[in-house]
Amino acid sequence: HDHLHCWVCATLLQMVKGSHCFCSSCAAGRLVFENYLRTEYNDENLLFWLACEDYKTNYCETETNVDAQRIYREFVRVDAPRQINIDFVTRKEIRENISHPGPNCFDRAQRLIYSLMENDCYPRFLKSELYKALLEQAERK
Ligand SMILES: *[C@@H]1O[C@H](CO)[C@@H](O)[C@H](O)[C@H]1NC(C)=O
């Protein structure tokens, strides 16, 4: 597997999900991205995205209520400790969704947050010193 190809071509999705590519560099890349977001005080977006992904994949009728509530309390409601940046219509829609939580009850919010990361955080990350250091490291391998 070509490490360099992996760094340069990694899309945000490949990085955060670690899908398509299972090389150790991508896992490292995701951690670095997470660290970078933390330095920007912006990691709630990625954490929300990952929590929704986890929720969807491990969806199980009996426990979803609790899980959906946890995501709502941590990321969505107005005084949430890790409040994500969504409009009030979306927030309201989620509140309605989680009163009867299905596997897709965060789908649109997740897509919104994804494009926010893709268009905002990710390009900044690619210009950061942290990413440059990562590239240099990969090139030396
Ligand atoms: C609410 O739930 C529906 C269906 O379960 C889903 O399609 C929609 O994207 C959800 N809304 C949000 C804001 O995620």
Side-chain angles (χ1 to χ4, degrees):
H1 190 96
D2 182 1
H3 283 282
L4 192 58
H5 173 86
C6 178
W7 290 119
V8 177
C9 303
T11 66
L12 176 61
L13 187 63
Q14 283 165 350
M15 280 186 83
V16 301
K17 279 187 89 170
S19 60
H20 303 296
C21 172
F22 293 97
C23 78
S24 56
S25 312
C26 281
R30 175 185 136 179
L31 278 180
V32 174
F33 185 51
E34 219 175 305
N35 282 337
Y36 169 74
L37 292 176
R38 206 169 294 135
T39 65
E40 274 202 328
Y41 302 102
N42 232 335
D43 62 334
E44 68 279 1
N45 292 327
L46 180 62
L47 294 176
F48 170 74
W49 192 89
L50 290 169
C52 293
E53 203 59 17
D54 195 48
Y55 171 82
K56 251 193 320 209
T57 353
N58 300 314
Y59 181 80
C60 130
E61 298 266 350
T62 53
E63 280 168 39
T64 43
N65 225 328
V66 179
D67 290 345
Q69 292 289 343
R70 194 177 48 79
I71 293 178
Y72 180 75
R73 274 201 313 274
E74 188 169 356
F75 299 101
V76 180
R77 71 176 189 198
V78 174
D79 57 349
R82 294 194 158 114
Q83 198 193 349
I84 50 168
N85 191 0
I86 47 174
D87 54 279
F88 95 103
V89 177
T90 308
R91 185 165 288 125
K92 186 162 157 268
E93 203 178 298
I94 296 175
R95 201 164 53 232
E96 284 158 15
N97 276 359
I98 63 161
S99 61
H100 42 86
N104 303 105
C105 72
F106 298 106
D107 273 13
R108 195 169 66 76
Q110 204 187 0
R111 277 200 305 276
L112 276 177
I113 291 300
Y114 183 84
S115 50
L116 193 74
M117 288 197 289
E118 187 168 42
N119 299 318
D120 185 43
C121 313
Y122 193 55
R124 273 208 308 279
F125 169 61
L126 295 182
K127 289 191 196 120
S128 73
E129 290 301 316
L130 213 59
Y131 182 75
K132 263 183 236 155
L134 206 65
L135 258 187
E136 276 162 26
Q137 212 178 18
E139 274 161 11
R140 275 201 303 270
K141 274 183 188 155

